[in-house]
Amino acid sequence: MVQYNLKKITVVPNGKEMIDIVLSRTQRQTPTVVHKGYALSRLRQFYMRKVKYTQQNFHEKLSAIIYEFPRLDDIHPFYGDLLHVLYNKDHYKLALGQVNTARNLIGKIAKDYVKLLKYGDSLYRCKCLKVAALGRMCTVVKRISPSLAYLEQIRQHMARLPSIDPNTRTILICGYPNVGKSSFMNKITRADVDVQPYAFTTKSLFVGHTDYKYLRYQVIDTPGILDRPFEDRNIIEMCSITALAHLRAAVLFFLDISGSCGYSIAQQAALFHSIKSLFMNKPLIIVCNKIDLQPIESISEEDRKLVMEMKAEALKTVIGQGSEPTNEEGVLVAMSTLTEDGIIAVKNAACERLLDQRVELKMKSKKINDCLNRFHVAVPKPRDRMERPPCIPQAVLEARAKQAAENADRETKRTEKDLENENGGAGVYSANLRKHYILANEEWKEDIMPEILDGHNVYDFVDPDILQRLEELEREEGLRLAEDAVDDFEMDDLELTPQEKEALAEIRKKKSLLIREHRMKKSTAESRPIVPRKFDKDRKFTSERMGRELSSLGLDPSLAISRARSRSRGRKRHRSPETGINGQDAMDMDIEPSNKKLRARSRSASRSKSRPPSEVVPGEGFRDSSQKNKAIKLFKKSSMKRNKDARRGEADRVIPTLKPKHLFSGKRSIGKTQRR
């Protein structure tokens, strides 16, 4: 594939930018320090180096511009004429010629001043010659600034041109504006050409690619052409004329038979006859588009006659190639880009015709004669007169019949799109998403299933085996209840009375309820807030309630209530004048203990004594209390700095150094433009 690097051309700087680039590079890449104490030969060499280096930089920059831009006489005629149409060949060559002249002038200036510098007799004279040489070079570059700006605009426009290979398999689409060329292009390729209901939406060439018989084809969409003299056509139309004139391609001439494009069939036929000379020696197909608005059979006799004349002209172009067309029907094809009827037929016809022509041309070339003597076509001889038709296995025939039946069912089956159109269209019809549910009962499909129930997501608890598991749980619960009923009520090898058995049964029932309630609370403990016992609103855990429940069972609740109250009161001691500590009679004590011992003993009995932090606990790893104190002090000292850093915030006063001296002072390495 021929590739023109139109997108890889280097950016063209304007005159001032080029001067800055070259002088900055000269300043950076050559020595900058010179003293008047140097020998004169060294001074001359110093300034000659400056002049030569500047001339070399200008020469490299300008040469890159000259060689990277394509030469219109050396590239393919299609690109040459296209660039001439877009940019005017004379202006283009003139701009490149001025750049070439400036390059030669800069070379002559450098040569002359280097010759003068060889005879410089002082530091001042050499410096003045260097300044004059660089100034004249910069003046030359400033004079070609308009040409450089023009070439930069051309480079930007060239980078936006499509990459068209003039020598590959190509399908070219042409015709009047707004006849459906870009719509057809979007259908058969992955190109995204803008389509609008007005003329000249396409203003340049667009390229797409499609495949046919494992070969890649290049499809080019051209702007619309009007039927007028060649001199009156604008740049947009000339792009199409250039492509038709220079590209070896299969041409698709689009014809709008409905007249919705704004031009009649007679006007389109006149355009066809005015440019038919561009179709010679090219496969030509006339495409009758927009048959959804008006079928080709319903057009008038005059228009049909014009279409048949165009078909005859298309056949002449094919016969003019030296071969008879194999299929006349492929010359005139009807289609609709809106309903996509006939689009694939048009594409296949164009690709087939182009492929046949390319094969025929290769067969006529000289290269094929060098290869024919290497080929041998083996023709088998028949061994008898028996006919052996192709045998298709029965399984393949059955599979084909099954596939055909499925295709027929698919065509007759009503889709959701059909239902939507029948019931008011989009925004009115709402598709039923439940009608394809696979359920045991068809009536269940319309049941309303809540998403949230009692604060829980219902779908978290949906289980396909939930009914079976419920039955197992109920069966297990029945077995347990039966075991509890059969269980004999014997305690300590004594037979219970009927009243005691009833009370025991009630107690066990209450116990099982409490256990079940506790298990339910435990299963939902993560999602249930923990409420302290003192905030119990239902008063479930009071001694009065316990007493009422025990009394209802026929039991005496006094002992249980007194035991619960004594346990909840803690370990307080009551002391009376007649009673000593721990309930001992004061008269029975031989020796009355002192008040200090009594306080210590009562304190130890009432609460536990707290351990000092320095006391060593077995297992901590410290030898004695002094070692533990030392470790505590080291820990506090190490955490002090971390605590300070943690307390530092946005409000803390910090005055950073905004301009550090080592970054904002010293010798300038490059220098400024105005100081040169």
Side-chain angles (χ1 to χ4, degrees):
M1 179 177 177
V2 180
Q3 290 284 350
Y4 296 105
N5 294 327
L6 302 180
K7 293 179 172 59
K8 298 181 180 179
I9 301 176
T10 311
V11 178
V12 180
N14 58 35
K16 187 175 183 305
E17 290 176 353
M18 183 173 289
I19 291 171
D20 290 344
I21 291 169
V22 172
L23 293 185
S24 297
R25 183 176 294 178
T26 303
Q27 181 76 2
R28 286 184 283 110
Q29 301 293 335
T30 57
T32 55
V33 180
V34 65
H35 299 289
K36 58 184 178 180
Y38 287 166
L40 190 58
S41 59
R42 187 174 178 182
L43 294 175
R44 293 170 181 166
Q45 193 67 30
F46 177 87
Y47 287 110
M48 280 194 293
R49 185 175 179 181
K50 293 271 188 185
V51 175
K52 287 181 181 179
Y53 194 82
T54 306
Q55 183 265 334
Q56 288 176 2
N57 284 332
F58 277 123
H59 188 275
E60 290 174 2
K61 290 284 182 185
L62 299 177
S63 298
I65 296 172
I66 294 169
Y67 294 133
E68 286 185 357
F69 277 85
R71 295 184 62 183
L72 301 185
D73 299 332
D74 296 344
I75 60 176
H76 194 276
F78 164 69
Y79 269 109
D81 282 1
L82 183 63
L83 296 182
H84 173 56
V85 167
L86 294 174
Y87 315 124
N88 194 336
K89 181 165 59 175
D90 297 333
H91 292 176
Y92 178 79
K93 288 185 174 181
L94 190 62
L96 288 177
Q98 288 182 351
V99 173
N100 187 31
T101 304
R103 182 182 64 173
N104 296 335
L105 285 175
I106 289 174
K108 288 183 63 177
I109 291 170
K111 185 177 179 181
D112 294 342
Y113 276 90
V114 166
K115 192 179 294 184
L116 291 173
L117 279 169
K118 287 182 180 179
Y119 301 99
D121 55 357
S122 65
L123 172 62
Y124 178 73
R125 183 68 57 86
C126 292
K127 187 172 183 179
C128 288
L129 290 173
K130 186 265 296 185
V131 171
L134 267 60
R136 290 189 61 184
M137 292 181 194
C138 295
T139 302
V140 171
V141 174
K142 283 181 182 178
R143 287 179 179 173
I144 63 169
S145 291
S147 298
L148 295 175
Y150 172 72
L151 290 175
E152 172 60 16
Q153 290 182 357
I154 290 180
R155 184 201 67 80
Q156 293 177 4
H157 196 275
M158 278 186 184
R160 294 192 291 269
L161 288 179
S163 297
I164 298 175
D165 186 0
N167 300 318
T168 190
R169 295 168 291 274
T170 306
I171 298 174
L172 199 63
I173 308 172
C174 66
Y176 254 98
N178 205 20
V179 294
K181 302 186 295 297
S182 299
S183 300
F184 176 74
M185 173 91 166
N186 292 340
K187 294 292 182 182
I188 66 170
T189 68
R190 287 186 294 177
D192 188 14
V193 187
D194 189 20
V195 177
Q196 297 294 340
Y198 49 81
F200 287 108
T201 307
T202 305
K203 299 181 181 178
S204 62
L205 300 177
F206 283 89
V207 180
H209 294 84
T210 187
D211 293 331
Y212 178 73
K213 288 186 177 180
Y214 304 105
L215 293 174
R216 179 60 57 90
Y217 286 80
Q218 179 178 253
V219 185
I220 300 178
D221 180 22
T222 61
I225 309 173
L226 299 179
D227 183 21
R228 52 185 177 180
F230 187 81
E231 299 81 12
D232 296 340
R233 289 196 169 103
N234 55 22
I235 294 177
I236 297 176
E237 296 174 85
M238 288 304 298
C239 291
S240 302
I241 298 296
T242 303
L244 286 170
H246 294 289
L247 293 179
R248 262 190 339 182
V251 180
L252 300 179
F253 185 83
F254 269 60
L255 195 66
D256 184 2
I257 59 175
S258 67
S260 60
C261 65
Y263 304 98
S264 63
I265 296 180
Q267 291 175 310
Q268 298 178 60
L271 172 66
F272 176 84
H273 291 294
S274 66
I275 62 173
K276 65 182 179 181
S277 59
L278 300 174
F279 302 148
M280 294 305 297
N281 299 327
K282 294 174 185 165
L284 177 61
I285 298 174
I286 299 170
V287 181
C288 297
N289 193 17
K290 302 185 182 179
I291 59 173
D292 57 321
L293 298 178
Q294 183 175 5
I296 193 171
E297 295 84 8
S298 63
I299 61 176
S300 64
E301 289 295 330
E302 297 178 358
D303 292 339
R304 185 175 297 182
K305 185 178 178 181
L306 292 173
V307 173
M308 290 300 135
E309 289 178 359
M310 295 167 63
K311 179 181 178 181
E313 290 290 339
L315 287 172
K316 286 182 184 178
T317 60
V318 178
I319 295 172
Q321 300 173 23
S323 63
E324 289 289 338
T326 57
N327 185 9
E328 293 186 3
E329 296 300 326
V331 178
L332 180 64
V333 187
M335 74 163 201
S336 171
T337 53
L338 181 64
T339 61
E340 299 186 3
D341 292 338
I343 286 181
I344 301 301
V346 172
K347 170 193 161 185
N348 293 346
C351 296
E352 195 67 39
R353 298 278 299 281
L354 179 63
L355 200 59
D356 293 343
Q357 188 211 30
R358 289 173 69 90
V359 170
E360 184 180 355
L361 290 176
K362 286 184 179 178
M363 292 295 292
K364 290 180 181 179
S365 65
K366 294 181 180 179
K367 289 183 180 180
I368 196 67
N369 296 327
D370 299 335
C371 301
L372 283 177
N373 56 2
R374 306 178 197 171
F375 297 151
H376 172 68
V377 181
V379 181
K381 294 181 180 180
R383 64 185 179 184
D384 51 23
R385 295 182 180 180
M386 185 181 295
E387 292 185 3
R388 293 178 176 85
C391 178
I392 303 176
Q394 185 65 27
V396 176
L397 294 175
E398 292 176 359
R400 289 182 181 177
K402 184 178 179 181
Q403 184 67 31
E406 290 179 358
N407 293 338
D409 292 342
R410 193 179 298 114
E411 290 177 359
T412 57
K413 185 178 179 181
R414 298 175 67 196
T415 61
E416 286 291 334
K417 187 70 175 179
D418 299 334
L419 295 174
E420 180 182 332
N421 295 333
E422 293 175 3
N423 294 284
V428 178
Y429 172 73
S430 179
N432 187 5
L433 302 179
R434 299 183 179 184
K435 63 182 179 181
H436 297 298
Y437 284 2
I438 302 173
L439 300 176
N441 191 350
E442 291 292 328
E443 298 178 354
W444 294 351
K445 290 183 179 180
E446 301 301 328
D447 290 348
I448 299 175
M449 188 172 182
E451 295 184 3
I452 303 296
L453 185 65
D454 296 336
H456 299 286
N457 193 342
V458 174
Y459 286 96
D460 292 341
F461 301 93
V462 169
D463 191 350
D465 302 331
I466 191 168
L467 296 176
Q468 181 180 356
R469 296 189 182 187
L470 180 61
E471 292 177 359
E472 293 177 359
L473 288 174
E474 290 178 350
R475 196 180 308 116
E476 184 179 353
E477 186 177 5
L479 292 175
R480 288 184 178 178
L481 291 176
E483 290 176 0
D484 292 342
V486 173
D487 190 13
D488 53 346
F489 297 95
E490 292 184 2
M491 298 181 63
D492 298 333
D493 297 332
L494 295 177
E495 191 71 27
L496 298 178
T497 61
Q499 293 82 7
E500 291 176 342
K501 287 182 180 180
E502 291 179 2
L504 185 59
E506 290 290 335
I507 291 173
R508 285 180 174 174
K509 185 178 178 181
K510 183 68 175 178
K511 182 180 179 182
S512 64
L513 288 174
L514 290 174
I515 291 173
R516 193 177 304 170
E517 185 179 356
H518 171 70
R519 285 176 180 171
M520 289 177 62
K521 289 182 178 179
K522 190 175 181 181
S523 64
T524 60
E526 294 183 358
S527 59
R528 180 175 54 82
I530 299 173
V531 181
R533 199 165 184 176
K534 64 180 181 178
F535 296 114
D536 182 24
K537 303 294 184 182
D538 299 334
R539 309 291 292 172
K540 290 183 179 180
F541 307 106
T542 59
S543 58
E544 290 82 0
R545 182 175 179 179
M546 182 178 68
R548 287 197 303 270
E549 291 184 358
L550 290 175
S551 299
S552 65
L553 296 175
L555 301 176
D556 185 15
S558 58
L559 293 176
I561 293 174
S562 62
R563 191 185 308 114
R565 285 179 175 174
S566 64
R567 185 178 298 173
S568 63
R569 280 174 183 165
R571 304 174 66 179
K572 291 184 179 180
R573 295 288 188 268
H574 293 281
R575 187 172 181 178
S576 61
E578 296 85 7
T579 308
I581 298 173
N582 294 333
Q584 293 180 339
D585 193 356
M587 301 298 295
D588 297 338
M589 302 176 69
D590 297 334
I591 303 172
E592 184 178 357
S594 62
N595 293 334
K596 188 175 181 180
K597 290 182 180 181
L598 283 174
R599 283 197 302 270
R601 193 181 303 168
S602 64
R603 190 187 303 120
S604 63
S606 62
R607 70 171 184 269
S608 61
K609 187 177 180 182
S610 60
R611 186 188 303 114
S614 60
E615 183 178 343
V616 178
V617 179
E620 284 187 335
F622 295 111
R623 185 175 62 252
D624 51 10
S625 299
S626 61
Q627 189 180 21
K628 186 173 182 181
N629 285 332
K630 186 176 181 181
I632 292 172
K633 288 182 181 179
L634 290 175
F635 167 73
K636 290 182 178 179
K637 188 174 181 181
S638 64
S639 63
M640 192 181 301
K641 187 176 185 303
R642 292 197 300 271
N643 293 340
K644 286 183 179 180
D645 292 339
R647 285 194 296 269
R648 184 176 181 181
E650 296 178 355
D652 295 333
R653 188 166 185 239
V654 179
I655 304 177
T657 307
L658 296 178
K659 287 191 175 185
K661 187 174 182 181
H662 69 284
L663 293 179
F664 290 90
S665 64
K667 179 179 178 292
R668 285 186 297 110
S669 59
I670 298 176
K672 294 182 181 178
T673 307
Q674 63 267 25
R675 291 293 299 276
R676 292 197 188 95

